[in-house]
Amino acid sequence: MAAPVTETHMERSIRHRAPPLLTDLYQFTMAYAYWRAGRHQEPAVFELFFRDNPFGGGFSLFAGLHDCLLFLRSFCLTQADVDFLQSVLPPDTDPAFFQFLRGLDCSGVAVRSVPEGTAVFARVPLMEVAGPLAVVQLLETSLLCLVNYASLVCSNAARFRLAAGPRRKLLEMGLRRAQGPDGGLTASRYTHIGGFDLTSNVQAGFLFGIPVSGTMAHSYVTSFSSLEEVSPQTLAPVNGDLDPVDFISLSKGWLRRVCELLGAEPNKLHEGELAAFLTYAIAYPHNFLPVIDSYSVSCSGLLNFCAVALALCELGYSPRGVRLDSGDLCRQSVDVRRGFKLCGNHFNISTFHSMIIVGTNNISEESMTALNKMENEIDVVGVGTHLVTCTRQPSLGCVYKLVEVRGTPRMKFTEDPKKSTVPGRKAVYRLVDPEGHPFLDLMCLEVEPAPEAGRPLSCYPLGRDDTSLTVTPAQVSCLRQEVFTKGQVTHPLCSAAECRAKVQSSLQTLHPRHIRLQEPESYTVALSEKLHNLVTELRTGSCNNSNFLSAN
């Protein structure tokens, strides 16, 4: 077994994938303007959130916090970084600013966050980042980059998991279709957290401890044309006490019996396919799971597989199953299972009753849902393109907005109400009904007392104008936890396996109406009375201030 990957490896990986210069230039131009104005050390607070639940669904999952914390812990600009910035910023930039940049780190930054792997909803702040104004401004693009895709692909994986149901295993196999190497690696990590069981990505297995799976492609099968290419031609029995046997002859004997049993025509068998199966079985007798649709599943692939698998069983091995990658996967899987059962019963070999069938063929969420409504025998579904590229929605649209400077609430006003922000430092609470289902997330001013279980409270749901709502929670939980302060991670970093467990636990608490894939019911996010009053006050003040020129 390989040695476990340490946190040092992970931090190096983050430093390599998300260095301080992986940001937008305007972050540095703003930092310089703050510095010139003497405002760079002013205490400021930003919040990271998204405005709409992805994929037309009722929820999202918060992911990427682990990477954000490692990024913050190692944040500093090297001399090479500063030299490059000096070459791209205007030539009249004060040289002293670059000395300021050279000494920057996150020792003055504090982060409060929703726990990674939590089911979250639109407009609820996922992270609060507080610290010196210039520093927390510089962090914006990098934090958004680390959270946006991770949360999106994790949410997509959870939807696939819901569509597949609990019985089937899910294999992520999207590396070749991902948006670059980092996109592929990020997808493998966060689709596992979102509910996938396996990955084909070897580097993800190394870094994150995700179970890795994979056997052969069609190219391996089609590279063979005759039995003369099989080498070596012998295989020793499992017990090792007997001499190796002629595996080709053994398999050909079984092939005749299989053709008779299944009523197949031997002249339609593809010799190259049989040679490929034989060679692979000799190389991996304990892990024999070939793709069987390179030519014809019913006329060649299934028959050749069963013959080689029966030969393996005779020698004491346990073949694992087959992969289907084209055509009508449901119908073919039923035919394959029927063939397995006939062989298992007729030849009295129990292994044939436990072999798995893997289905991989451009699977989407819709086809996964349809698969569950049709008769099929697929045990494992492999998903690539539609999973890692999030074809239904390419971006979550997380934003990072200023909510406080020098202790004073700040609010963005816009003609589009959805793009306005909620001012001030906040506490965020999740209210739970008597059945244990969350029904409302409440944003309050940080100085307000927490809501109490069993006590009615008045709030203002977002998106419902100024209509108030009175609710009585059976339970109340705080969604925020301190995760980073004074340059140090203050909350234990979760492994991929721990985050995965958190996702499933969080989703299981949600009411089915909020997690159904089609036409989910909207989850309520609301403001406390005091926070609603602050928003109203700032809006009114903004309208008055907009007329100051004409008033003067």
Side-chain angles (χ1 to χ4, degrees), residues 3 30 48 55 86 110 139 186 214 257 275 293 298 314 325 342 356-357 359 366 466 483 485 505:
M30 285 188 286
L48 187 152
F55 311 111
Q86 197 160 8
L139 299 175
T186 302
R257 299 168 70 182
D293 66 334
S298 59
E314 184 175 339
D325 189 52
L342 285 171
I356 64 172
I357 299 173
E366 291 76 12
D466 287 333
V483 294
T485 187
S505 172

Side-chain angles (χ1 to χ4, degrees), residues 367-414:
S367 60
M368 183 81 79
T369 301
L371 185 146
N372 274 345
K373 297 177 181 179
M374 303 172 66
E375 181 187 6
N376 71 86
E377 292 288 339
I378 298 173
D379 304 291
V380 180
V381 180
V383 190
T385 304
H386 294 292
L387 176 66
V388 304
T389 65
C390 300
T391 46
R392 291 185 60 198
Q393 180 177 325
S395 174
L396 179 58
C398 282
V399 293
Y400 183 88
K401 298 299 181 183
L402 181 71
V403 295
E404 184 181 283
V405 176
R406 298 189 309 274
T408 301
R410 292 288 193 254
M411 182 176 180
K412 173 185 174 184
F413 299 95
T414 173

Side-chain angles (χ1 to χ4, degrees), residues 69 72-73 106 109-111 482-490:
L69 295 178
L72 293 172
R73 189 163 69 184
C106 287
V109 173
V111 178
E482 182 186 271
V483 294
F484 187 88
T485 187
K486 297 181 180 178
Q488 297 298 318
V489 177
T490 56

Side-chain angles (χ1 to χ4, degrees), residues 58-374:
F59 70 93
S60 182
L61 292 167
F62 175 44
L65 176 63
H66 180 280
D67 291 345
C68 289
L69 295 178
L70 294 183
F71 165 76
L72 293 172
R73 189 163 69 184
S74 63
F75 180 88
C76 65
L77 283 89
T78 66
Q79 188 59 51
D81 294 334
V82 174
D83 290 345
F84 178 74
L85 288 169
Q86 197 160 8
S87 74
V88 297
L89 288 173
D92 57 349
T93 303
D94 190 330
F97 174 66
F98 299 105
Q99 291 302 314
F100 163 72
L101 290 180
R102 189 69 180 88
L104 278 186
D105 60 24
C106 287
S107 58
V109 173
V111 178
R112 293 190 301 161
S113 170
V114 171
E116 185 158 23
T118 301
V120 288
F121 306 95
R123 302 299 298 274
V124 174
L126 307 179
M127 296 173 64
E128 177 198 83
V129 184
L133 179 56
V135 177
V136 291
Q137 180 71 71
L138 282 172
L139 299 175
E140 174 183 7
T141 301
S142 301
L143 294 179
L144 287 172
C145 181
L146 292 170
V147 169
N148 253 315
Y149 179 61
S151 297
L152 182 73
V153 78
C154 187
S155 304
N156 199 26
R159 291 179 63 87
F160 272 93
R161 176 80 273 171
L162 290 168
R167 181 181 72 84
R168 291 181 227 281
K169 285 193 173 184
L170 294 178
L171 164 66
E172 178 272 317
M173 46 188 293
L175 180 59
R176 65 188 61 194
R177 304 289 170 78
Q179 287 92 338
D182 185 59
L185 193 61
T186 302
S188 296
R189 174 178 173 83
Y190 290 105
T191 56
H192 179 65
I193 288 172
F196 273 61
D197 304 282
L198 310 160
T199 182
S200 66
N201 187 338
V202 179
Q203 180 70 357
F206 169 72
L207 282 177
F208 312 128
I210 304 170
V212 179
S213 180
T215 54
M216 69 166 68
H218 293 104
S219 56
Y220 183 85
V221 177
T222 58
S223 72
F224 290 85
S225 59
S226 74
L227 294 178
E228 294 177 359
E229 297 169 302
V230 177
S231 179
Q233 298 182 351
T234 60
L235 180 64
V238 167
N239 58 29
D241 296 333
L242 302 175
D243 293 333
V245 302
D246 183 339
F247 196 61
I248 298 178
S249 297
L250 182 63
S251 298
K252 288 173 71 175
W254 278 111
L255 186 56
R256 286 190 293 270
R257 299 168 70 182
V258 169
C259 287
E260 291 174 5
L261 175 65
L262 300 183
E265 300 178 40
N267 63 322
K268 292 186 177 182
L269 295 169
H270 199 284
E271 184 177 335
E273 182 179 58
L274 177 59
F277 291 179
L278 287 166
T279 308
Y280 201 87
I282 291 169
Y284 292 103
H286 292 286
N287 192 42
F288 184 53
L289 195 157
V291 59
I292 64 170
D293 66 334
S294 297
Y295 302 106
S296 168
V297 173
S298 59
C299 295
S300 183
L302 175 60
L303 304 164
N304 283 329
F305 168 79
C306 288
V308 176
L310 286 163
L312 285 173
C313 290
E314 184 175 339
L315 297 181
Y317 298 98
S318 296
R320 295 187 57 211
V322 301
R323 178 162 75 96
L324 300 169
D325 189 52
S326 61
D328 187 338
L329 298 184
C330 291
R331 179 188 58 78
Q332 290 182 57
S333 69
V334 171
D335 293 342
V336 169
R337 185 70 70 196
R338 173 181 170 274
F340 287 174
K341 289 179 179 178
L342 285 171
C343 287
N345 292 334
H346 185 78
F347 300 119
N348 195 28
I349 297 179
S350 60
T351 300
F352 269 71
H353 295 291
S354 59
M355 287 195 293
I356 64 172
I357 299 173
V358 181
T360 59
N361 183 21
N362 200 33
I363 303 293
S364 65
E365 180 185 310
E366 291 76 12
S367 60
M368 183 81 79
T369 301
L371 185 146
N372 274 345
K373 297 177 181 179
M374 303 172 66

Side-chain angles (χ1 to χ4, degrees), residues 405-469:
V405 176
R406 298 189 309 274
T408 301
R410 292 288 193 254
M411 182 176 180
K412 173 185 174 184
F413 299 95
T414 173
E415 294 179 357
D416 182 354
K418 288 190 68 174
K419 288 202 168 186
S420 64
T421 59
V422 180
R425 299 195 78 163
K426 305 173 193 67
V428 185
Y429 300 96
R430 181 154 289 176
L431 310 188
V432 180
D433 66 22
E435 286 72 42
H437 299 302
F439 69 92
L440 184 146
D441 284 1
L442 181 70
M443 287 188 271
C444 306
L445 291 170
E446 187 181 38
V447 296
E448 290 187 66
E452 297 179 24
R455 293 193 63 176
L457 62 89
S458 180
C459 59
Y460 288 80
L462 294 175
R464 300 187 193 175
D465 298 322
D466 287 333
T467 305
S468 65
L469 176 69

